[in-house]
Amino acid sequence: MKVAKLLLALAAGGLVLGAAAQAPKDNIANLKQMKVSGTDLNMPSIPQEGKNADAIRANLKRIKLPPGFKIDLYAVVPDARHMAVAPSTNMLFVGTRKTTVWAVTDRNGAGAATEVKAFAPSLNFKVPNGVCWTKDGFLVVAEHNRILNFPAAEFFYEGPDVAVIEVVSQGNLIPVEEESYNHGARVCRVGDDGKLYVSLGQPHNVQPAGKIDLYNKLGIGGVLRMDPFDGSKREVFARGIRNSVGMDFNPKDKTLWFTDNQTDGLGDTVPPGELNRVTAAGQHFGYPYWNGKFKVAGSAAAADLKDMKEPAGAVSPQVEFPAHQAQLGMTFYSGKQFPGKYQGGMFVASHGSWNSTKATGALVNFIPVNSDGTAGKAEIFAEGWLDSDTGTYRGRPVDVAPMKDGSILISDDYAGAIYRVSYAN
């Protein structure tokens, strides 16, 4: 299957090599001719030991976990955001909100990274936050306004030039005039239907009235669905979302779940953060009329929406989190290492507040799933990155990813690290 798709991409002229780090705008087009970029083949790696690693390990002694669990430093990874664990090797790929995707390798299988280096450094990435896998092992990278697909990334990552398919070319994920540094980090997943799902945060605190219809049409403030190889059959799968930076499919009933960040500027206690469940294509999740059960339309943050009509059939969150904790990445736990209580449930990373007079968040929640597929009550699973005495962050969790051995990884873009949480009786 992999070879067939690779050959199809070559035949269509869609397979290219990485571009030079300071790439001209037409460099991808040039490299469709299968020309190398000329980038230095000697790729530096990130040191995994030294004062920085020692300080991160010391900070981990503050982390509180349920009995039987322990947390260790897995890798030093600058600006580590969303993670995609490789299907066939002891590797993972890590996105950032900057210009790098990291290839993280555990070459000896000892439960910690032995090498961290840039993936496809000849490419000119722009906010490559979202990383995910197709069912047959192609790595998808969702950038701010482009989507790329890398055949056999875990086997051909050693050099700077890596074969790539343009799923959505630069400037064609959203209109260029809607680009913003605000809410521009995408996340992605591939469903059992083989389709690629990509979240698009809307670029305002609350979008103005004149943007609502446009954003609903384009899927800005929503989730898109498309073919992961050529971007065809693109459609808006879900609407009424402010800024989702975390999603995953429940492997039992195949429903898509996603986090959603709350409106700023309305006080320390409102609105709530959200965890949502999509049960059918085309559902609307209420924003900007609702944020959780808090009415945003007509509030101090959205005075021009005072006459907005409530969206018909708006879906309420499965879970409402405390305000401004900024829930980001999430994953369903399908491993067997953790006790039965955790199997089939969800882990959700809370990045921590910027819009609260008192710092909050910087923790990981666990949410069980009921027999009917709905969410149970959230509880704190891991905390301690926020010093309650000083209000200072020593880390800010971004994403959670399950490993093949049943442990989980937690990324932290503030400390520039990835942690491994394991359990022993």
Side-chain angles (χ1 to χ4, degrees):
M1 188 67 172
K2 293 181 183 180
V3 173
K5 286 180 178 174
L6 196 59
L7 291 173
L8 285 171
L10 276 166
L15 188 65
V16 303
L17 294 176
Q22 300 298 320
K25 292 182 179 179
D26 63 351
N27 200 40
I28 281 187
N30 290 339
L31 289 174
K32 286 181 179 179
Q33 303 173 46
M34 302 301 293
K35 295 180 179 179
V36 298
S37 68
T39 302
D40 191 346
L41 297 177
N42 297 305
M43 298 159 59
S45 59
I46 300 297
Q48 295 300 300
E49 296 297 338
K51 289 184 178 180
N52 180 48
D54 292 343
I56 293 172
R57 291 189 179 98
N59 283 336
L60 290 181
K61 295 177 182 178
R62 301 171 179 268
I63 305 305
K64 298 176 183 178
L65 293 161
F69 289 91
K70 69 173 182 176
I71 187 167
D72 298 296
L73 177 63
Y74 183 82
V76 176
V77 183
D79 311 305
R81 294 278 293 182
H82 284 72
M83 300 176 286
V85 176
S88 302
T89 60
N90 285 328
M91 287 191 68
L92 70 146
F93 293 81
V94 184
T96 70
R97 285 197 300 179
K98 295 187 177 178
T99 59
T100 303
V101 175
W102 297 105
V104 179
T105 311
D106 172 10
R107 290 190 183 275
N108 56 27
T114 54
E115 180 185 72
V116 177
K117 64 183 183 182
F119 171 68
S122 57
L123 270 170
N124 184 18
F125 289 114
K126 296 178 180 178
V127 195
N129 181 82
V131 286
C132 58
W133 295 98
T134 68
K135 299 303 179 183
D136 46 2
F138 286 50
L139 177 69
V140 176
V141 176
E143 299 180 71
H144 185 193
N145 204 357
R146 180 175 67 171
I147 300 175
L148 302 177
N149 184 327
F150 297 89
E154 60 181 318
F155 299 103
F156 298 103
Y157 72 97
E158 293 287 7
D161 301 325
V162 182
V164 59
I165 302 164
E166 281 188 285
V167 180
V168 178
S169 59
Q170 181 64 43
N172 287 303
L173 185 59
I174 62 172
V176 173
E177 58 269 22
E178 298 299 334
E179 288 185 0
S180 171
Y181 58 83
N182 195 38
H183 301 165
R186 316 304 183 196
V187 292
C188 64
R189 283 288 193 273
V190 174
D192 269 21
D193 58 2
K195 298 289 186 66
L196 174 66
Y197 294 73
V198 180
S199 68
L200 297 179
Q202 60 88 3
H204 303 271
N205 181 30
V206 183
Q207 61 265 53
K211 294 286 187 180
I212 291 175
D213 289 344
L214 174 66
Y215 287 4
N216 281 336
K217 178 182 177 181
L218 297 175
I220 297 176
V223 177
L224 298 182
R225 178 166 65 176
M226 67 186 76
D227 184 278
F229 298 95
D230 62 12
S232 64
K233 300 179 181 178
R234 177 170 167 170
E235 62 181 320
V236 180
F237 180 71
R239 297 177 174 86
I241 303 166
R242 181 174 179 269
N243 181 40
S244 175
V245 198
M247 67 169 80
D248 198 17
F249 285 93
N250 183 342
K252 290 185 177 180
D253 65 10
K254 316 305 179 187
T255 55
L256 179 66
W257 293 65
F258 64 90
T259 58
D260 195 9
N261 286 187
Q262 60 276 7
T263 306
D264 298 316
L266 292 172
D268 286 355
T269 60
V270 293
E274 298 182 16
L275 177 64
N276 294 278
R277 180 189 186 209
V278 187
T279 56
Q283 289 179 318
H284 194 291
F285 290 84
Y287 203 78
Y289 190 90
W290 295 112
N291 192 163
K293 296 180 180 67
F294 182 89
K295 185 180 175 183
V296 174
S299 69
D304 69 325
L305 301 183
K306 60 182 176 63
D307 296 324
M308 181 183 178
K309 294 182 179 180
E310 179 181 359
V315 180
S316 296
Q318 289 282 309
V319 176
E320 291 190 358
F321 296 100
H324 306 302
Q325 289 189 348
Q327 286 73 33
L328 300 184
M330 61 161 294
T331 190
F332 279 86
Y333 182 75
S334 57
K336 301 298 182 184
Q337 184 184 122
F338 291 5
K341 166 185 174 177
Y342 299 98
Q343 295 175 22
M346 292 168 279
F347 290 97
V348 178
S350 292
H351 196 221
S353 168
W354 74 268
N355 188 239
S356 177
T357 56
K358 184 178 180 180
T360 182
L363 51 84
V364 175
N365 283 113
F366 171 73
I367 299 95
V369 177
N370 299 321
S371 58
D372 64 356
T374 60
K377 184 178 180 180
E379 62 183 62
I380 294 175
F381 175 76
E383 63 179 339
W385 288 280
L386 174 59
D387 188 324
S388 58
D389 293 330
T390 65
T392 302
Y393 290 109
R394 289 187 170 85
R396 301 186 70 191
V398 175
D399 193 21
V400 187
M403 295 288 277
K404 299 181 187 71
D405 66 355
S407 61
I408 62 172
L409 299 179
I410 301 170
S411 62
D412 181 338
D413 63 349
Y414 181 79
I418 294 174
Y419 316 117
R420 178 174 177 264
V421 176
S422 57
Y423 179 83
N425 292 323

